Amino acid sequence: MNATREQWIGSYFWWTIALQASIFLLAWLIFRTQMVSVAMVGIALFVFVLALRRLDIAMLIVIAEMIAGSHGHLLSTEVIGFTISLRMILFLAVMAAWGISFIKQSSRNHFRKLLSDERMLVWIPLWVAITVGLIVGVIKNGSMVAFQDGNAYISTLLIFPWLTVTWERWRLRSLLQVVAASSIWISFLSLGIFYVFSHFQIFTLTNTY
């Protein structure tokens, strides 16, 4: 019983709960202020540096955000009329750090080995479909609309840094704890929001929304 509990609830579990609560509180405090852009740049730089040193931890942060991150828009800002979300900057930070590390440390043989990984094969049909869909979307609706509708699928490229990490037993245990903590966080948050919307007056609901 204790072994099972330790597998799911450990240091990574509590760190994830603390991280989710901190980001939610930060987003609430700086909502619709200029500090959103500052916070997002700071988070991007932090995750970028972290990914250069500990790619596995950076990937866990990305997974935690994907599970409990309000469609990636817990923090978001506009740049030249285009909405940039927290999920986008996490993706860019991790991919940039992975790309730099991969170019510095890898040989052509290593690159071929990554591409020939059997786990990569299942993604190829999806990438083909995404590419075709984006091309059709650009032709019919323009590049901006096509990108806004299909940018979420670009996150599948995270399979490259994911496969670069050696997911040993202790890393898999940390992954389980992050998934468990993020799932519990978003579940309780959803129940809390449901309670607010079902018990409070319109004024409170408008501000909450």
Side-chain angles (χ1 to χ4, degrees), residues 42-55:
I43 292 171
L45 291 174
F46 171 77
V47 173
F48 173 74
V49 173
L50 178 63
L52 288 174
R53 296 175 177 272
R54 289 290 304 273
L55 183 59

Side-chain angles (χ1 to χ4, degrees), residues 31-135:
F31 182 61
R32 290 184 178 176
T33 69
Q34 294 181 348
M35 289 302 297
V36 173
S37 299
V38 176
M40 290 179 68
V41 170
I43 292 171
L45 291 174
F46 171 77
V47 173
F48 173 74
V49 173
L50 178 63
L52 288 174
R53 296 175 177 272
R54 289 290 304 273
L55 183 59
D56 58 323
I57 301 297
M59 288 299 299
L60 292 180
I61 291 175
V62 170
I63 291 169
E65 191 283 325
M66 284 185 170
I67 294 174
S70 301
H71 298 286
H73 288 273
L74 190 58
L75 288 171
S76 61
T77 187
E78 279 198 9
V79 178
I80 318 176
F82 184 75
T83 302
I84 304 295
S85 68
L86 176 61
R87 185 165 299 174
M88 289 181 184
I89 66 167
L90 290 179
F91 170 81
L92 292 173
V94 170
M95 291 302 295
W98 172 80
I100 291 172
S101 299
F102 194 80
I103 291 171
K104 284 184 175 180
Q105 301 175 9
S106 298
S107 63
R108 290 183 178 180
N109 290 333
H110 189 74
F111 185 68
R112 291 196 193 98
K113 183 179 179 181
L114 179 63
L115 291 180
S116 62
D117 192 313
E118 291 183 357
R119 293 172 295 179
M120 192 75 74
L121 296 177
V122 298
W123 295 91
I124 294 176
L126 177 61
W127 287 331
V128 171
I130 292 171
T131 302
V132 172
L134 286 174
I135 292 172

Side-chain angles (χ1 to χ4, degrees), residues 88 130-131 133-134 137 143-156:
M88 289 181 184
I130 292 171
T131 302
L134 286 174
S143 57
M144 183 63 73
V145 174
F147 180 77
Q148 289 177 341
D149 191 49
N151 70 82
Y153 293 104
I154 299 175
S155 62
T156 58

Side-chain angles (χ1 to χ4, degrees), residues 20-39:
Q20 297 284 12
S22 299
I23 292 295
F24 184 84
L25 179 61
L26 175 65
W28 178 67
L29 290 173
I30 65 176
F31 182 61
R32 290 184 178 176
T33 69
Q34 294 181 348
M35 289 302 297
V36 173
S37 299
V38 176

